Amino acid sequence: MVHYVVDIKPVSRRNSPKPAPKRLWTASDPPYDGYKPVDTTTYHTSTPDSAIVIDNGSSAVRAGWQFEQAPRLAFPPLMARYVDRKLNRKFCFIGSDLYADGTARGQAKNVYEPGSDIVNNWDAQEGVLDYVFIKLGLDGSRGAVDRPVVMTEPLANLGYARKVMSELLFELYGVPSVAYGIDSLFSYAYNRGHNGIVVSSSYMSTHLIPVMDSKPLLAHATRLDWGRCQSAEYLMKLLKAKYPTLPGKLNDTQVEDLVRQHCYVSQDYSRDSVAFLDWTGLEDRDVVVQMPFTERVEIQKTEEELARAAEKRKEGGRRLQEQAAKMRLEKLIRKEQELEYYKELQQKLAIATKKEAKALLDAEDFDDEAQLEKKMKEMDKSIRKARNKDVGDVEEIEEPPTYPLLDTPDEELDEEGLKQKRQQRLLKANHDARARAKAEKEREKSRLVEEERLDAEKRATNLEAWVEERRVERQAMIQRIKDRDRLKADLGNRKSLASQMRMKSIANLASDNPKKRRRGGDDDNFGADDADWGIYRAIATGDQSDDDDEEDLNAGLKNIEAQLLKYDPNFTEDSTRDAQTDWTKSLMHSFLRGAWPYDAENQKENNQFHLNVERIRVPEIVFQPALAGLDQAGIVEIAADMITQRLSDISGSGDLLKDIFLTGGNTMFKGFEERLQVELRAVLPAESTLTVRGAGDPVLDAWRGAAQWASTPSSRQAFITREEYMEKGGDYIKEHNLGNAYI
Amino acid sequence: MAPITTASNETNHQALLDKLDIAKIQKPFRNPNFKAPQRRNKSVKQILSDASRREASLLTTQNNSGASTPMPVTPTEAGSLHPNPAQASQDLSRLVLEKNQKAAQTGPSVTYTSIAAAPSTRPKKRYCDITGLPAPYRDSKTGLYYHNKEVYAVIRGLSTAQIQEYLALRGAATVLK
């Protein structure tokens, strides 16, 4: 016995539906993190040369004493200074404190200009420094800040910026001595680096600095103008373009948090991005963020309520029916009674004299006997019909109605006769028309039946040709649907030809002298010809247009497809138009709405957005700035150029590769280190050893490095004292290993 | 003034703001006689253009100072004090400028603009403007790159504003000045 295993083809190859999203993320709250207390004790116990270390960063200002382990203060460099009209009071909030109030938040000014790490707003900088000194407990008993200050500045800081900063520190605050340094170099020194390339990707920019023997080769340092701030802006723009109808608005801090939480660096962007929108596993990779929304209140009737309503309706219907039946019956009885009465009247007429007969007829509002006869006949007929309907036993005998008067010529009849003749003509015409219509319907029916028979015959005899015919028809229908869609789209676009033609016809209709003049006379006989009304169908668009047409086309298509499915062996479920426009196979649907169906009415879904490809697209820009339209090289290319070309003539440049050091908040993406390692490995000479390492704490190590450096006695040589400043001016700078050089 | 959380009411919020406000805190460490110069908030572009303008103006108004010509040492002069101090200071600034220029021409100088990264020399990979996937095709009418025909259908349905938005992401939008 042979066992055959039949291939069980799945009923539908549509991708299977997914369970509900595991977690709905929400946009973050404003980062207000509480009141920072003022601490005066540390100040009083500190020695006069313990420096205040300020990491004046663009994402956050971190400040503290040099002997502490971590910066005491960390806040964004924002200031909000305004006058409250109601209370008539000046307010000034710094840092994250201003997130506590909506007005303050609206008035926030950043110290830095967006996109650069050079200080721009000096009033805000003053406010920030005030805040730092207040919170560190300085009492200003001598009318000045009397501790040295170590401050960080960006690589290749502009002379003007340094000058104004020194002016602030020395003249406004009376600081005894100041030192400037580069934050990434501080971080490197703190992480015990001596030879290497420092890759510092922070908030507003990314720097690459080669360091040899603890000395930075500033001439070969490079800056890429991309950091977390630009990433956040880019993500915001991406989301706005992707979801133009999203009602909620995201602000910068929320977008930054999204970048921080959900983005990561992919190892191979081209491959990963395509794989991202794959159906399998999409629900794990896709991040759904829900914005606040108001639920549209729809009073959902419960099952039993609905059942009860249906019952009531049926009851009502039944009652109505009963009432109607009763009324009909009553009418019937009344009619019969009337008929009886008329019969009596007729009998009376037969025996009455002429005058009495006239009188009787007048009393009943009849003109002569013929009318009475007619009325009686009518009533009889209607009674019979009604009884037939209700009771249904008496079959109506259809007799062809006779029109005796039609044949007699006009002259022979009197006035009465003429009237009668006209009436009869009308009746005859009616009757004829009805007969014609019935005949037409019969003919139509028989024709359809005939067609079907022919069709079945054809199918039986020549399956191929029939199938072919059907396919062609289906194609034609699909084409018509497509054309109709295209026409609709065209009409939406203001500049298309269809739209312009439509405008022309509207203008033509509305104008007083239409362009086309009818030959012979210009009275407006629009509408006499039935085809004229078709113009309104042509100019109707959108909601006004005939929806029936669409339904017809769709229904027709379904019909044909059903037939094909039944008879054509090659036409499977997949080939149906339905399967082809299936949303689960649609790339755009996965892109926009993830792995779940989209309901346009659902308010909850309308306020959601999905992050899928953006998760890897945004951090990719540091490696490929061309993605964002930035005309600069990516960090891999910069590093490779640096090694192979600019530093090739300096001995020991190969050693730099042994320690590629990552610091700065923007390098904390998952996969950043591996990606950099892999890509650099690919472009560098094979024999060079390559190690990539990250800072212990990419965010705080700069401050810690500065504090550590300030604690070393040798660093004091690099401090500029107040007297030196007064003498030599604001441009004076002392070069040291961890700072800028004089230009 | 809108309280940020629903938990706080008006009085609580006001108390919080009073606590956070630093406008009314005394700042004795500030020098009361300090007056900030006017218009000191400058953007990077402004700073750079100011600096280059200043250098350019100094250069164009200078004649060659003759500092490069070797001067015979005159032993008779007691000191080397220039009789005219005003001109001496001008000479000095000119000398400094020329020295800077020479240094600039010869050695590498690290300025804010000079360390900006150079454009990439590698061939640019094209990515779909709508989805971010790799894009083998480009729409000639709008200039957008797209991934497949489905995305192309979406592109055809975009309005002009949306098209410009997508191009702006890449820095390719038409900017009318």
Side-chain angles (χ1 to χ4, degrees):
Chain A
M1 192 112 61
V2 185
H3 293 268
Y4 289 97
V5 177
V6 180
D7 247 326
I8 301 180
K9 233 197 239 168
V11 174
S12 159
R13 284 217 307 245
R14 212 174 268 207
N15 295 322
S16 48
K18 303 275 179 167
K22 263 189 276 223
R23 175 174 170 173
L24 283 178
W25 300 83
T26 50
S28 56
D29 290 325
Y32 167 62
D33 51 355
Y35 171 70
K36 296 190 177 41
V38 175
D39 167 41
T40 47
T41 52
T42 326
Y43 167 62
H44 288 298
T45 54
S46 63
T47 59
D49 57 317
S50 50
I52 300 178
V53 179
I54 304 180
D55 177 10
N56 202 22
S58 37
S59 67
V61 175
R62 291 170 267 264
W65 297 100
Q66 75 177 43
F67 43 77
E68 289 179 335
Q69 290 307 311
R72 190 182 288 253
L73 297 168
F75 54 90
L78 299 168
M79 173 175 91
R81 196 160 59 178
Y82 61 100
V83 178
D84 189 337
R85 295 273 163 228
K86 273 193 289 190
L87 304 169
N88 206 10
R89 208 178 104 184
K90 272 207 201 143
F91 276 106
C92 179
F93 297 103
I94 305 284
S96 48
D97 292 347
L98 56 82
Y99 290 118
D101 184 42
T103 331
R105 205 214 170 119
Q107 297 271 353
K109 305 266 183 314
N110 199 329
V111 169
Y112 290 92
E113 168 191 18
S116 91
D117 41 11
I118 305 281
V119 176
N120 175 24
N121 189 334
W122 294 101
D123 300 315
Q125 180 71 67
E126 271 186 39
V128 163
L129 287 172
D130 283 345
Y131 188 78
V132 167
F133 294 141
I134 290 174
K135 297 293 179 185
L136 286 181
L138 267 66
D139 56 7
S141 43
R142 278 175 281 262
V145 172
D146 42 5
R147 297 280 179 272
V149 167
V150 176
M151 224 188 205
T152 58
E153 59 173 13
L155 182 66
N157 196 10
L158 290 170
Y160 176 76
R162 194 181 298 123
K163 189 156 70 109
V164 180
M165 181 68 85
S166 300
E167 191 181 31
L168 268 187
L169 287 172
F170 285 123
E171 294 189 22
L172 175 58
Y173 292 107
V175 177
S177 57
V178 172
Y180 295 110
I182 299 176
D183 48 359
S184 32
L185 295 179
F186 280 139
S187 172
Y188 192 49
Y190 184 72
N191 281 277
R192 283 178 305 280
H194 301 285
N195 279 308
I197 301 183
V198 177
V199 176
S200 155
S201 187
S202 48
Y203 192 60
M204 300 280 196
S205 57
T206 302
H207 289 113
L208 279 93
I209 310 173
V211 176
M212 200 175 272
D213 286 335
S214 307
K215 260 200 287 284
L217 302 174
L218 292 173
H220 300 287
T222 326
R223 179 191 72 246
L224 175 62
D225 295 311
W226 194 267
R228 201 180 76 225
C229 174
Q230 288 98 333
S231 294
E233 267 180 48
Y234 188 67
L235 181 61
M236 180 124 81
K237 280 194 257 185
L238 274 180
L239 283 176
K240 235 190 284 209
K242 184 174 174 184
Y243 297 101
T245 51
L246 191 68
K249 264 219 286 216
L250 283 172
N251 49 37
D252 330 341
T253 47
Q254 287 172 331
V255 178
E256 275 179 37
D257 282 340
L258 283 177
V259 170
R260 236 197 309 227
Q261 278 176 326
H262 303 297
C263 293
Y264 64 94
V265 177
S266 83
Q267 298 307 311
D268 179 357
Y269 180 64
S270 308
R271 195 192 54 204
D272 278 353
S273 53
V274 176
F276 219 101
L277 295 178
D278 234 11
W279 185 256
T280 49
L282 180 59
E283 68 273 20
D284 296 323
R285 294 185 295 261
D286 189 55
V287 166
V288 186
V289 180
Q290 176 76 52
M291 307 271 290
F293 68 100
T294 46
E295 183 72 66
R296 251 216 308 234
V297 177
E298 280 186 30
I299 308 171
Q300 283 287 1
K301 295 218 187 85
T302 60
E303 279 292 327
E304 46 180 62
E305 277 187 23
L306 284 167
R308 242 182 295 147
E311 261 304 307
K312 247 191 276 181
R313 265 198 299 261
K314 253 190 280 175
E315 272 295 320
R318 244 178 289 146
R319 232 179 301 136
L320 277 173
Q321 268 179 2
E322 281 174 20
Q323 274 182 359
K326 217 187 328 168
M327 272 181 45
R328 264 205 303 268
L329 205 58
E330 274 180 16
K331 244 199 253 175
L332 185 63
I333 293 177
R334 226 179 323 131
K335 266 200 208 138
E336 283 187 347
Q337 282 179 347
E338 270 196 46
L339 190 62
E340 280 296 320
Y341 179 70
Y342 284 140
K343 273 209 188 102
E344 280 179 26
L345 189 62
Q346 221 175 25
Q347 280 170 355
K348 255 194 260 173
L349 278 176
I351 49 173
T353 61
K354 216 162 184 175
K355 227 192 199 163
E356 283 184 358
K358 198 79 191 305
L360 276 172
L361 284 175
D362 267 342
E364 299 300 320
D365 221 7
F366 281 121
D367 284 341
D368 60 3
E369 261 199 58
Q371 247 190 17
L372 178 61
E373 284 273 341
K374 203 168 52 167
K375 183 113 187 173
M376 279 180 60
K377 218 197 278 181
E378 264 183 43
M379 292 188 74
D380 198 32
K381 215 200 298 184
S382 77
I383 287 176
R384 233 185 297 151
K385 216 196 288 181
R387 193 172 294 139
N388 205 4
K389 225 197 289 180
D390 275 346
V391 185
D393 38 30
V394 181
E395 265 303 321
E396 193 169 313
I397 317 154
E398 279 264 6
E399 15 163 284
T402 50
Y403 309 103
L405 284 181
L406 275 179
D407 293 330
T408 50
D410 283 343
E411 305 86 40
E412 287 183 21
L413 292 169
D414 54 352
E415 209 183 295
E416 273 302 321
L418 275 173
K419 240 197 284 181
Q420 293 256 350
K421 186 174 179 183
R422 237 179 290 146
Q423 275 185 6
Q424 284 186 0
R425 197 179 298 151
L426 203 62
L427 277 173
K428 180 164 193 211
N430 250 352
H431 186 81
D432 282 345
R434 246 179 293 153
R436 248 192 317 214
K438 225 188 278 182
E440 187 70 44
K441 240 190 274 174
E442 293 290 317
R443 251 195 310 221
E444 185 70 33
K445 236 190 280 180
S446 64
R447 196 167 58 83
L448 276 173
V449 168
E450 187 63 29
E451 256 189 46
E452 285 241 12
R453 199 177 54 78
L454 273 174
D455 209 32
E457 245 183 56
K458 213 191 316 177
R459 183 167 61 228
T461 52
N462 189 355
L463 186 63
E464 288 288 322
W466 182 84
V467 162
E468 198 47 49
E469 218 179 290
R470 280 284 166 279
R471 271 182 196 263
V472 162
E473 235 184 279
R474 176 173 168 273
Q475 262 322 98
M477 222 170 229
I478 290 182
Q479 189 59 31
R480 249 185 297 164
I481 291 184
K482 273 202 208 152
D483 280 342
R484 186 202 60 210
D485 284 338
R486 197 180 310 148
L487 187 65
K488 251 211 202 141
D490 260 355
L491 285 176
N493 182 7
R494 223 181 306 160
K495 290 228 181 104
S496 69
L497 184 67
S499 201
Q500 287 183 346
M501 294 309 302
R502 174 173 169 265
M503 268 301 149
K504 257 199 220 158
S505 31
I506 292 181
N508 211 8
L509 280 172
S511 74
D512 286 332
N513 47 344
K515 264 215 301 226
K516 50 179 168 82
R517 284 189 178 272
R518 289 190 195 275
R519 297 250 182 84
D522 51 2
D523 15 282
D524 187 6
N525 44 4
F526 176 86
D529 183 9
D530 270 343
D532 284 345
W533 299 105
I535 194 99
Y536 283 110
R537 193 173 294 173
I539 66 178
T541 61
D543 303 324
Q544 308 158 1
S545 80
D546 241 331
D547 277 319
D548 305 335
D549 257 2
E550 300 184 22
E551 296 300 323
D552 281 347
L553 283 178
N554 270 339
L557 185 63
K558 277 218 172 33
N559 218 349
I560 291 190
E561 282 184 352
Q563 288 188 341
L564 275 173
L565 266 174
K566 204 155 67 162
Y567 295 110
D568 183 4
N570 298 335
F571 192 84
T572 57
E573 287 245 2
D574 269 352
S575 335
T576 60
R577 189 157 161 77
D578 248 0
Q580 280 174 353
T581 54
D582 184 13
W583 63 261
T584 56
K585 298 231 179 77
S586 153
L587 183 82
M588 284 309 290
H589 185 97
S590 315
F591 183 58
L592 287 176
R593 302 284 164 191
W596 300 280
Y598 173 56
D599 175 16
E601 301 295 316
N602 187 345
Q603 283 299 88
K604 185 164 170 199
E605 285 182 17
N606 266 337
N607 276 289
Q608 275 178 0
F609 59 88
H610 294 245
L611 293 175
N612 28 50
V613 184
E614 290 82 12
R615 290 178 70 189
I616 48 174
R617 192 175 178 183
V618 168
E620 182 66 21
I621 299 175
V622 184
F623 293 91
Q624 290 185 46
L627 267 183
L630 199 62
D631 194 15
Q632 290 184 315
I635 54 175
V636 176
E637 202 184 327
I638 296 176
D641 272 351
M642 205 186 282
I643 296 292
T644 51
Q645 282 158 21
R646 292 159 103 179
L647 297 177
S648 53
D649 42 353
I650 302 180
S651 66
S653 55
D655 291 340
L656 293 183
L657 294 171
K658 296 210 189 94
D659 188 14
I660 303 208
F661 177 72
L662 298 176
T663 181
N666 207 31
T667 57
M668 287 165 78
F669 287 123
K670 196 162 59 102
F672 197 100
E673 268 185 53
E674 294 89 31
R675 172 75 184 271
L676 193 59
Q677 169 120 26
V678 164
E679 293 232 354
L680 273 181
R681 181 79 274 169
V683 298
L684 289 173
E687 57 274 5
S688 45
T689 49
L690 182 68
T691 23
V692 175
R693 71 171 169 131
D697 182 346
V699 175
L700 293 181
D701 272 358
W703 186 90
R704 291 205 184 100
Q708 193 191 52
W709 178 78
S711 319
T712 58
S714 53
S715 66
R716 296 295 151 143
Q717 293 168 355
F719 277 60
I720 307 169
T721 62
R722 194 148 180 268
E723 292 73 29
E724 282 178 338
Y725 166 79
M726 293 303 185
E727 199 184 302
K728 300 178 185 169
D731 289 317
Y732 186 63
I733 181 176
K734 283 198 181 153
E735 300 183 10
H736 62 100
N737 270 357
L738 301 177
N740 274 318
Y742 185 68
I743 33 166
Chain B
M1 290 213 282
I4 205 75
T5 53
T6 47
S8 63
N9 57 18
E10 197 57 45
T11 42
N12 274 1
H13 191 65
Q14 196 54 39
L16 179 67
L17 289 185
D18 280 341
K19 201 161 72 156
L20 296 174
D21 181 20
I22 66 164
K24 51 186 192 1
I25 299 183
Q26 293 280 23
K27 303 179 193 73
F29 42 77
R30 283 173 77 105
N31 179 2
N33 303 328
F34 175 75
K35 226 171 109 37
Q38 290 281 6
R39 287 196 297 263
R40 60 178 172 171
N41 295 352
K42 290 195 191 169
S43 70
V44 178
K45 221 166 42 154
Q46 268 177 306
I47 302 175
L48 291 173
S49 69
D50 279 350
S52 65
R53 245 188 305 128
R54 214 181 320 129
E55 277 195 17
S57 72
L58 273 178
L59 278 175
T60 51
T61 59
Q62 294 291 344
N63 302 319
N64 195 343
S65 67
S68 43
T69 57
M71 254 174 68
V73 178
T74 52
T76 52
E77 288 200 22
S80 45
L81 285 174
H82 203 284
N84 186 349
Q87 197 179 25
S89 76
Q90 241 184 19
D91 280 344
L92 205 55
S93 70
R94 212 188 313 141
L95 286 173
V96 166
L97 195 62
E98 289 192 359
K99 176 160 170 281
N100 282 348
Q101 259 192 313
K102 260 187 282 193
Q105 281 156 14
T106 53
S109 78
V110 182
T111 62
Y112 188 75
T113 43
S114 74
I115 64 169
S120 166
T121 51
R122 299 199 183 158
K124 285 200 236 299
K125 291 214 195 99
R126 304 245 147 87
Y127 293 101
C128 174
D129 286 313
I130 315 283
T131 53
L133 274 52
Y137 319 107
R138 181 175 165 272
D139 174 24
S140 45
K141 195 162 99 165
T142 54
L144 294 169
Y145 294 105
Y146 59 96
H147 177 69
N148 63 6
K149 62 183 180 176
E150 204 189 327
V151 186
Y152 183 63
V154 173
I155 287 185
R156 281 218 308 180
L158 290 178
S159 73
T160 328
Q162 286 171 309
I163 294 174
Q164 288 297 314
E165 218 179 313
Y166 278 114
L167 287 174
L169 283 178
R170 234 196 317 142
T174 38
V175 178
L176 300 169
K177 278 254 166 66

